[in-house]
C-alpha cells in the first residue's frame, strides 16, 4: 500500500513573512547594523523570492538536467549565506547588495550544468537588483564579487607563543592574487602536517573558485555539498584543502575487497562520535568509486534527511552517547527537560551541524541520473557545484 503526499509550496506571502522576520531580526541597531543597512535589508526578501520564482519557472528539469529542481531549501541557503557575514563587515548598502548577489549566484548558478544557464542567472539577478535596489547599486555590483572566510592571518598566543587558528570572518575577497597566496599558505601547512598525503596543486583561477565554493558550504552548519565533474578534475584534492583551511577533520573510507555494510557502519560510528558526541567539525569525503553497493547511498540519504541511520547503534550505546553530551545540553538549552528524548535530539542536531558530507560524482556515470531518483536527499539536501 502506498500513501500519496502532495506538499505544495507555501504562498509568496507566507515565504515573505518567514524570511522577512528573520532578516528584520538580524539587521537591527542592537546587532550593530547602520541605519542605511537596516533600511535596505527588508528589500532582500522580495528580490530573492522574485529571483527564486523566476528560476524555478524558467529553468525546468529535463532528462539531461534532471537536477534543475529549486525548492525552499535553495531560498533558505541564500539567507543562510547572507547571515554568515558579521555585522562589522556589512557596513554599507553596497556591501549588503554585493553579499546578496554573491549568495544568489552561489546557490542558483553553481548547480547549473550549462554556461548559458549560469549567464541567465546573472542577467536575472542584475535586473532584480535594478528593480529593488536602484540602477546605481545594480551597476556597482554588475561584476559579482567573491566572499570567503580564510583571509585573516594566523594568530599567536601571547603567553605560550603557540599558533592559534586564524579567525573565520566571512568578508569580500581582497583580490584573487591575495586569496591564492592564502590558499598556498594553507596548502604548505597541509603538506607539512600530512607528509604521506602531500598534494602538489596549481591553484589557477577556476581551482580557487571551486575551493571558495567548497569552503563556503562546509563552514555553514548542516552544509553538505555535491561536486559534479569528470574524474581527475581535482574534486578530492580541493575538498581536502578546503577542509584543512576550515579546521575540519577530513575523513574518507578506505575501500578493500571485504568492505561491506558492517565496515561502513563502523566508520560511521566513528564519525558520529567525533561530530555528534565531541562536537568536532568533520568533512566526510565520499566518491562514486566508493559506492560498493547502492545501499551505501541509502545510509547517506538517511543522514542528510534526518541524521539517523537505522540500526547504527544499540540502545545502550545510544544512551551512553546521550549521557556524554549532557553537560553541553544543559549549557546550550537551559529550560529544557533532561530526558533521553531531548538529549538524543540535541545529539542529532549537533551531529548534523558538524558533519559535512562532500560527494564527488561524475556526470558521465550511467547510474548518476538513476541515483537522483532513488535517493532524493542526496541531491536535494546538498549544495551542488557542477
Amino acid at each position: 500500500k502506498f500513501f500519496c503526499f502532495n506538499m505544495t509550496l507555501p504562498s509568496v506571502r507566507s515565504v515573505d513573512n518567514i524570511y522577512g522576520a528573520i532578516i528584520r531580526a538580524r539587521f537591527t541597531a542592537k546587532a550593530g547594523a547602520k541605519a542605511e543597512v537596516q533600511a535596505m535589508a527588508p528589500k532582500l526578501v522580495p528580490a530573492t523570492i522574485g529571483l527564486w520564482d523566476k528560476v524555478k519557472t524558467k529553468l525546468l528539469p529535463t532528462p539531461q538536467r534532471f537536477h534543475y529542481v529549486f525548492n525552499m531549501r535553495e531560498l533558505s541557503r541564500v539567507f543562510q549565506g547572507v547571515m554568515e557575514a558579521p555585522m562589522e563587515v556589512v557596513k554599507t548598502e553596497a556591501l549588503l547588495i554585493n553579499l546578496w548577489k554573491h549568495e544568489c549566484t552561489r546557490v542558483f548558478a553553481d548547480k547549473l550544468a550549462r554556461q548559458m544557464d549560469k549567464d541567465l542567472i546573472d542577467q536575472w539577478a542584475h535586473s532584480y537588483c535594478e528593480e529593488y535596489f536602484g540602477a546605481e547599486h545594480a551597476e556597482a555590483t554588475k561584476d559579482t564579487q567573491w566572499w570567503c572566510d580564510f583571509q585573516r592571518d594566523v594568530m599567536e598566543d601571547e603567553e605560550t607563543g603557540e599558533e592559534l587558528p586564524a579567525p573565520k570572518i566571512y568578508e569580500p575577497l581582497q583580490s584573487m592574487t591575495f586569496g591564492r597566496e592564502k590558499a598556498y599558505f594553507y596548502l604548505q601547512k597541509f603538506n607539512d602536517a600530512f607528509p604521506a598525503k602531500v598534494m602538489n596543486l596549481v591553484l589557477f583561477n577556476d581551482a580557487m573558485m571551486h575551493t571558495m565554493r567548497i569552503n563556503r558550504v562546509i563552514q555553514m552548519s548542516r552544509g553538505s555539498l555535491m561536486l559534479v565533474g569528470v574524474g581527475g578534475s581535482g574534486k578530492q584534492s580541493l575538498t581536502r584543502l578546503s577542509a584543512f583551511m576550515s579546521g575540519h577533520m577530513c575523513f574518507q573510507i578506505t575501500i578493500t575487497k571485504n568492505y561491506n555494510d558492517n565496515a561502513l557502519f563502523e566508520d560511521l560510528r566513528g564519525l558520529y562520535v567525533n561530530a555528534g558526541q565531541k562536537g568536532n567539525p568533520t568533512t566526510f569525503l565520499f566518491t562514486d568509486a566508493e559506492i560498493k553497493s547502492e545501499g551505501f547511498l541509502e545510509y547517506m540519504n538517511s543522514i542528510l534527511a534526518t541524521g539517523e541511520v537505522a540500526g547504527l547503534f544499540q540502545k545502550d550505546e545510544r544512551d551512553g552517547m546521550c549521557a556524554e553530551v549532557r553537560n553541553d545540553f544543559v549549557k546550550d538549552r537551559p529550560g529544557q527537560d533532561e530526558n533521553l528524548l531531548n538529549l538524543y535530539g540535541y545529539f542529532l542536531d549537533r551531529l548534523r551541524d558538524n558533519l559535512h558530507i562532500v560527494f564527488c560524482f561524475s556526470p558521465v556515470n550511467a547510474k548518476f541520473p538513476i541515483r537522483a531518483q532513488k535517493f532524493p536527499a542526496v541531491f536535494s539536501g546538498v549544495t551542488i557545484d557542477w
Side-chain angles (χ1 to χ4, degrees):
K1 287 181 180 179
F2 288 96
F3 291 99
C4 261
F5 288 104
N6 179 27
M7 298 289 285
T8 55
L9 283 169
S11 66
V12 171
R13 192 173 168 187
S14 305
V15 174
D16 195 29
N17 281 341
I18 296 164
Y19 295 106
I22 294 170
I23 289 292
R24 282 193 301 276
R26 167 71 169 169
F27 293 94
T28 59
K30 194 177 176 183
K34 297 196 172 166
E36 58 181 85
V37 175
Q38 286 179 58
M40 184 60 82
K43 294 181 187 174
L44 297 181
V45 181
T48 313
I49 292 170
L51 179 61
W52 170 69
D53 204 44
K54 181 133 188 175
V55 170
K56 70 185 173 71
T57 49
K58 297 285 184 190
L59 293 174
L60 297 167
T62 66
Q64 277 82 30
R65 297 178 291 283
F66 52 85
H67 64 291
Y68 278 29
V69 178
F70 300 90
N71 51 34
M72 290 278 288
R73 290 173 194 247
E74 270 71 29
L75 209 49
S76 298
R77 285 181 194 130
V78 173
F79 289 106
Q80 188 181 2
V82 168
M83 294 179 67
E84 284 291 306
M87 216 50 81
E88 58 267 22
V89 170
V90 190
K91 294 173 187 160
T92 62
E93 291 176 325
L95 276 167
L96 180 65
I97 296 161
N98 210 314
L99 171 63
W100 171 81
K101 191 152 183 259
H102 173 259
E103 294 310 311
C104 288
T105 310
R106 294 289 68 76
V107 172
F108 297 120
D110 285 353
K111 80 183 283 185
L112 306 178
R114 300 185 302 177
Q115 188 56 48
M116 58 188 282
D117 296 338
K118 293 176 193 274
D119 295 340
L120 272 177
I121 299 279
D122 213 43
Q123 289 169 27
W124 294 339
H126 183 69
S127 67
Y128 279 106
C129 213
E130 214 164 28
E131 185 183 333
Y132 287 98
F133 311 130
E136 194 183 320
H137 283 306
E139 200 51 48
T141 57
K142 191 163 189 184
D143 296 323
T144 308
Q145 177 158 17
W146 283 84
W147 286 60
C148 61
D149 68 354
F150 53 81
Q151 298 181 85
R152 299 293 172 109
D153 291 327
V154 173
M155 298 162 78
E156 269 194 7
D157 191 314
E158 290 175 6
E159 291 175 7
T160 61
E162 280 182 17
E163 265 195 8
L164 296 172
K168 296 287 172 196
I169 293 167
Y170 197 51
E171 56 196 347
L173 182 67
Q174 292 180 31
S175 71
M176 195 56 93
T177 311
F178 182 77
R180 191 179 286 111
E181 281 172 12
K182 281 284 171 203
Y184 274 126
F185 166 74
Y186 280 108
L187 179 61
Q188 186 57 51
K189 287 191 75 172
F190 176 90
N191 289 342
D192 293 344
F194 303 103
K197 297 179 184 174
V198 167
M199 299 192 294
N200 297 312
L201 304 180
V202 177
L203 296 169
F204 51 93
N205 280 4
D206 252 15
M208 272 307 299
M209 289 173 187
H210 284 295
T211 303
M212 288 189 280
R213 287 178 183 129
I214 299 166
N215 190 263
R216 169 187 169 272
V217 175
I218 62 176
Q219 279 293 84
M220 292 181 176
S221 60
R222 304 196 180 196
S224 287
L225 186 71
M226 181 184 291
L227 303 175
V228 184
V230 291
S233 51
K235 302 185 292 291
Q236 294 182 52
S237 302
L238 292 180
T239 302
R240 286 194 194 97
L241 176 60
S242 301
F244 185 76
M245 287 158 83
S246 303
H248 290 202
M249 179 195 106
C250 187
F251 176 78
Q252 187 172 8
I253 61 177
T254 309
I255 288 291
T256 59
K257 200 163 70 172
N258 303 324
Y259 198 91
N260 56 14
D261 287 25
N262 291 337
L264 178 68
F265 269 28
E266 201 54 51
D267 284 335
L268 286 179
R269 284 188 198 104
L271 290 174
Y272 269 57
V273 168
N274 197 51
Q277 188 177 315
K278 296 178 182 171
N280 298 329
T282 307
T283 297
F284 179 22
L285 180 57
F286 192 68
T287 69
D288 48 7
E290 288 156 5
I291 304 171
K292 280 197 80 175
S293 79
E294 295 297 302
F296 284 16
L297 279 176
E298 184 61 60
Y299 304 132
M300 299 301 146
N301 194 72
S302 299
I303 294 170
L304 287 166
T306 62
E308 280 190 279
V309 176
L312 186 61
F313 291 106
Q314 302 291 332
K315 189 178 183 308
D316 56 333
E317 288 177 308
R318 208 171 72 180
D319 293 351
M321 292 171 95
C322 290
E324 288 287 333
V325 298
R326 185 184 159 278
N327 292 345
D328 292 335
F329 170 80
V330 172
K331 195 165 61 186
D332 291 345
R333 298 191 178 174
Q336 271 200 16
D337 291 341
E338 268 185 64
N339 54 39
L340 274 175
L341 198 66
N342 284 348
L343 283 167
Y344 188 56
Y346 173 74
F347 169 78
L348 282 183
D349 284 345
R350 191 150 86 160
L351 167 83
R352 295 177 75 190
D353 287 348
N354 286 315
L355 182 60
H356 308 275
I357 301 176
V358 179
F359 296 106
C360 298
F361 285 172
S362 169
V364 294
N365 191 326
K367 290 180 177 173
F368 186 57
I370 300 162
R371 285 169 178 160
Q373 293 174 332
K374 282 186 177 175
F375 311 109
V378 169
F379 283 75
S380 64
V382 297
T383 303
I384 298 176
D385 178 12
W386 197 287

